[in-house]
Amino acid sequence: MTVYYVNSATGSDRNGGTGQNSAFATLSKVESLKLKPGDSVLLAKGSVFNEQFDIKYSGSESAPIKIGSYGTGAAPVIHSSGDGIHSLYASNIVIENLKISNTAGAGIYGGSVTNWTVRDVEIAKTGLSENAGAVTFRSSKNVTIEDSKISDVRGDGFWIEKVTGIKLLNNTVTNAHGATADAVQMNDSSNILIRGNHLDQTHADSPKGVIALVRPVNAVVEDNTLTGGSFGISAQAGKNVAIRDNDISGFHGYSWSFAVGLGDTGDTRDYDIAGNHIHDGAWGVVISAAGSPSYDRTNIKVHDNVFDDLSQAALKVDRPASGSFSNNTIESGVTATSISPSIVDAHTFSVSNNHTVANVETALASPVAKTAAATEAAADPAVVAVHDNLKILSDTGAAHHGNLLENDSSDNDTLVLRRFGDETVGKHGLTLTGEYGDIHVDREGNYAYTLDETKLPTDHSGHVSESFSYGVNDGTSHHSDGDTLTVLIHLDGLLS
């Protein structure tokens, strides 16, 4: 396992390259070596390389080949009249702590590669020849791109095509320019995880959208912040797709702009759209198509989302589809649904237990609404929620802790708290003000109830209680159940 050093300012290709004081000067010198599993190529910080870097050899799963940096100062920069980093058929590669900018092609291009990780890489002003994708992977397997930044590129931020096992984690894309440019374009790929990214197309030059998923299979898009573009997420044809807990806004370039759209380019099956905050745009969730293609649109569940500041409806269904729209919170002034009469008459897309509020930040307090929420979930033996009790016999002013899920169960051994009271539990949890105290919950079911003694009755005998409904699912939202937490407060132990 050899470490090679490259310094564009002080190095020489006549050096041996294995020490910082004997560094190579060019990337082409590294390309002349036959790199082996476990080898590392480190570029000196402050260096600038005006050449494409071709990775020709493979590492192993236990000993990948690493391309990184050393020293202090600004990250090393690669400029190129072609791609920044280019590879075909190489496997087990890690690229980290670099900057790639001002390239005619992609910043990073991988074709038919396996087991690649790209992390902490900055890519700017690539695609000067209008080539698609600042980061491009085609016909590949097991690619992870994390903690990286893409800005002011021409063409798509990410172009992913025919990749099995792709993860985009905690990346930032700002302004992918061009009439056909998306922050993320992903075609014919499977086993997809897009999580924790901040994708902003607000100031892009004529952008198409933020995330375009074309025929995805087994995809999860969660905990992302998506802003701008003509649409938030276009997942028009796919199978087993979860879109959850995203913040989607600023999608109002056209009258047809939507936060989440599906059903237009092929069969759409088993979609779970839950826990998203959809706001400042045109349409919310759109199940539609150009013309009347005979595609299947089956088992589309839209639930536990928050919709506000939309010029059109929260839900649009104007092509044959089956599914449900339930337990969503919709701010007053936003139309809840726009469903074609023929679909209403067919009874294939149910609408139930949705709530309209004056302000989406305000919890619903209606006892009728709470009763409806508590009984929303139909009996489902795959997930079982059990009633919880918190008994407060004395109080020191500190929070009283517990967990709602520890006595619940699911067939797949996974439980997620999705709803508490009448609100969706987001990635940062949820705090509600009750009749006698405040309670904070998180998705793992942990709760902290803080009693407010100023709200208790002056009669010091007996007890008072309040209840909170909650809903859980098995992580996929295909199975769910609900129950209540009852807080029982013994006054004689507190106020006597």
Side-chain angles (χ1 to χ4, degrees), residues 23-35:
F24 296 137
T26 67
L27 301 176
S28 59
K29 177 61 178 179
V30 177
E31 293 174 13
S32 70
L33 305 174
K34 186 173 182 179
L35 297 177

Side-chain angles (χ1 to χ4, degrees), residues 9-47:
T10 64
S12 170
D13 286 350
R14 293 188 296 272
N15 290 336
T18 56
Q20 295 185 24
N21 295 325
S22 59
F24 296 137
T26 67
L27 301 176
S28 59
K29 177 61 178 179
V30 177
E31 293 174 13
S32 70
L33 305 174
K34 186 173 182 179
L35 297 177
K36 298 177 181 179
D39 286 352
S40 296
V41 178
L42 302 182
L43 313 183
K45 290 186 176 180
S47 289

Side-chain angles (χ1 to χ4, degrees), residues 75-341:
V77 180
I78 297 175
H79 303 309
S80 172
S81 58
D83 297 328
I85 294 176
H86 183 96
S87 185
L88 296 174
Y89 306 110
S91 61
N92 302 300
I93 304 294
V94 175
I95 300 172
E96 57 190 358
N97 303 318
L98 307 175
K99 181 175 181 179
I100 302 170
S101 69
N102 297 93
T103 64
I108 297 175
Y109 180 96
S112 301
V113 301
T114 303
N115 296 341
W116 273 53
T117 297
V118 177
R119 67 167 69 98
D120 291 310
V121 173
E122 182 179 352
I123 297 177
K125 299 180 180 178
T126 58
L128 301 181
S129 66
E130 299 290 338
N131 286 356
V135 175
T136 296
F137 284 93
R138 289 188 166 102
S139 302
S140 299
K141 296 180 180 180
N142 300 334
V143 175
T144 298
I145 307 161
E146 59 189 1
D147 299 313
S148 295
K149 297 181 180 180
I150 297 173
S151 61
D152 290 311
V153 297
R154 303 298 305 180
D156 300 283
F158 293 99
W159 177 277
I160 309 296
E161 184 175 32
K162 296 181 180 178
V163 174
T164 301
I166 173 71
K167 296 179 180 179
L168 304 183
L169 308 175
N170 305 315
N171 302 290
T172 300
V173 178
T174 307
N175 301 334
H177 300 291
T180 61
D182 305 300
V184 176
Q185 172 85 40
M186 195 171 292
N187 299 344
D188 299 301
S189 297
S190 61
N191 300 334
I192 299 162
L193 177 60
I194 303 175
R195 175 189 290 160
N197 302 280
H198 190 157
L199 311 176
D200 188 351
Q201 290 286 74
T202 303
H203 300 293
D205 175 18
S206 302
K208 182 158 68 76
V210 182
I211 297 179
L213 300 179
V214 180
R215 295 174 294 275
V217 176
N218 299 332
V220 175
V221 183
E222 65 181 4
D223 292 330
N224 303 284
T225 299
L226 314 178
T227 309
S230 299
F231 55 79
I233 302 172
S234 177
Q236 296 294 343
K239 183 177 181 181
N240 194 23
V241 176
I243 299 171
R244 59 198 183 205
D245 304 316
N246 303 284
D247 188 294
I248 309 173
S249 66
F251 48 95
H252 41 52
Y254 301 94
S255 61
W256 54 262
S257 292
F258 52 80
V260 179
L262 51 101
D264 189 42
T265 60
D267 292 342
T268 304
R269 300 189 180 99
D270 301 327
Y271 275 47
D272 188 77
I273 303 168
N276 303 285
H277 184 193
I278 294 173
H279 56 111
D280 184 27
W283 297 92
V285 177
V286 173
I287 303 171
S288 187
S292 300
S294 57
Y295 298 134
D296 289 336
R297 305 173 190 90
T298 59
N299 194 29
I300 313 300
K301 296 181 179 179
V302 184
H303 62 97
D304 295 291
N305 302 281
V306 175
F307 299 90
D308 65 279
D309 194 18
L310 302 180
S311 61
Q312 305 292 337
L315 173 72
K316 177 182 181 181
V317 185
D318 63 2
R319 296 295 183 273
S322 69
S324 59
F325 183 73
S326 63
N327 205 54
N328 298 284
T329 299
I330 304 162
E331 194 167 66
S332 59
V334 174
T335 301
T337 62
S338 174
I339 304 177
S340 296

Side-chain angles (χ1 to χ4, degrees), residues 370 374 386-393 400-404 407 420-421 435-436 439 441 447 449 451 463-470 483-490:
K370 288 188 176 182
V386 179
H387 184 83
D388 293 85
N389 291 293
L390 169 63
K391 294 182 180 180
I392 299 178
L393 304 178
H400 300 265
H401 296 272
N403 187 282
L404 296 167
N407 59 348
F420 191 79
E435 189 173 358
Y436 302 113
I439 186 167
V441 298
Y447 68 81
Y449 182 92
L451 187 66
H463 66 265
V464 294
S465 67
E466 62 177 316
S467 295
F468 301 90
S469 64
Y470 70 88
D483 217 296
T484 57
L485 165 68
T486 298
V487 180
L488 184 68
I489 305 163
H490 287 260

Side-chain angles (χ1 to χ4, degrees), residues 327 355 364 369-370 373-374 419-423 430 432 468-471:
N327 205 54
H355 314 292
L364 298 180
K370 288 188 176 182
R419 175 180 50 75
F420 191 79
D422 298 293
E423 295 199 26
L430 170 70
L432 291 181
F468 301 90
S469 64
Y470 70 88

